[in-house]
Amino acid sequence: MASWSFEAPQILSDEQYVQWQTLLEQRTGICFLQHKSIMQKGLLTRMRELGIEDYQQYFLLVSAVPEGTVEWQLLVDRVSVKETSFFREPFSFAAVRHFLLSRLNADMREQNSTLDIWSVGCSTGEEAYSLAMMASDMLTYTASRAFLGVVATDISRTALAVADQGVYPARKLEPLSREMLQQYFTAGEKGLYRIKESLRQKICFVQGNIAELNSAPKIKMDVIFCQNVLLYFRHEQQKRVLDLLVEHLKPGGMLMLGPGEVAGWRHPKAYRSSDEFVQAYLRAI
């Protein structure tokens, strides 16, 4: 009779857990205090790829500056959450669709007007492409001549590489209608579908850390879509990120957050009732 044996994964000690949690939060803003299993799984995955068994040995490798810079980025790819799908959270997309219907009025039907959308934490691209498809449909429906531009950011270079290719298996496309498949995808071999270039060229995928918004270009957006991202940040960090995101909105723009993602937040400028920008923002929200 054949026998099999499996080596049990090394368990993070409390001291090691605090050490890794501190490093990851300092550099990414992501807090793993409630997500120890996610952090440990990512660490073990990368350590096994390198043939390293000791957490402390790997910590010294990753935390070294500048020697550990490349390895650090590879680790971020392993620990970052990449769960996503096309038109995830249908209620949120319905709210954005309703907003765009009112946004694409006569003022945005000029040839030189732009409709700018930001997908924050886009992961492997399904969210960004969903927003682009929906916005394209709304531009056609309202006969708007505005130029559509979607900026999609994520901390993971691996996820962005998948997004940039725009190739997905058939099972990923189940939420889409047959009309959307025909309009925006090209069927390929082995059950794979590719985003058509006419839509792909409207999206710019950029590597970025939401915890470093202070250094991001102050490009103004009509819609900022930030779903299931801030769940992994401390409450004070959530408020700081939201305050900065608002500064990237055009007057009357929309900041779309995940259901129940942030509670008790109010932008500090909202108390200045004479601020025209804030009044426009509050009406949209």
Side-chain angles (χ1 to χ4, degrees), residues 76-84 123-124 154 156 158-159 172:
V76 170
D77 286 338
R78 301 304 186 274
V79 300
S80 57
V81 180
K82 301 179 180 66
E83 180 182 353
T84 186
S123 187
T124 48
D154 199 89
S156 171
T158 301
K172 280 278 192 176

Side-chain angles (χ1 to χ4, degrees), residues 8-186:
Q10 184 181 1
I11 303 299
L12 277 169
S13 68
D14 291 342
E15 182 179 355
Q16 290 171 329
Y17 176 47
V18 171
Q19 185 180 45
W20 277 106
Q21 152 59 26
T22 301
L23 178 67
L24 286 162
E25 186 172 8
Q26 284 177 345
R27 293 190 178 183
T28 69
I30 301 173
C31 178
F32 287 95
L33 289 178
Q34 304 299 323
H35 308 281
K36 181 178 180 179
S37 61
I38 296 175
M39 181 177 74
Q40 182 168 299
K41 181 180 179 181
L43 287 171
L44 286 172
T45 297
R46 184 56 188 156
M47 287 166 62
R48 285 168 176 165
E49 291 171 352
L50 295 172
I52 297 176
E53 298 182 357
D54 182 71
Y55 284 112
Q56 187 61 29
Q57 178 186 352
Y58 186 50
F59 182 87
L60 293 175
L61 171 63
V62 169
S63 58
V65 178
E67 295 84 354
T69 302
V70 174
E71 181 55 37
W72 166 254
Q73 185 59 60
L74 293 172
L75 174 61
V76 170
D77 286 338
R78 301 304 186 274
V79 300
S80 57
V81 180
K82 301 179 180 66
E83 180 182 353
T84 186
S85 61
F86 286 98
F87 291 96
R88 186 183 182 187
E89 307 291 357
F91 176 82
S92 297
F93 278 93
V96 174
R97 184 181 291 107
H98 179 75
F99 170 76
L100 290 179
L101 184 60
S102 62
R103 188 75 162 171
L104 296 172
N105 52 31
D107 294 335
M108 293 196 69
R109 294 184 185 182
E110 299 299 326
Q111 183 67 45
N112 60 352
S113 62
T114 62
L115 176 62
D116 300 293
I117 299 175
W118 182 4
S119 171
V120 181
C122 67
S123 187
T124 48
E126 290 91 332
E127 178 181 284
Y129 288 122
S130 297
L131 289 166
M133 286 186 281
M134 181 179 66
S136 294
D137 287 348
M138 294 304 298
L139 285 168
T140 300
Y141 179 77
T142 58
S144 173
R145 301 176 67 187
F147 173 80
L148 171 63
V150 178
V151 176
T153 58
D154 199 89
I155 196 173
S156 171
R157 295 184 185 276
T158 301
L160 288 172
V162 174
D164 193 52
Q165 289 180 352
V167 178
Y168 301 95
R171 60 179 176 79
K172 280 278 192 176
L173 309 183
E174 292 177 358
L176 305 181
S177 66
R178 179 177 299 180
E179 291 73 21
M180 273 194 166
L181 283 176
Q182 293 176 344
Q183 184 175 358
Y184 296 114
F185 291 83
T186 300

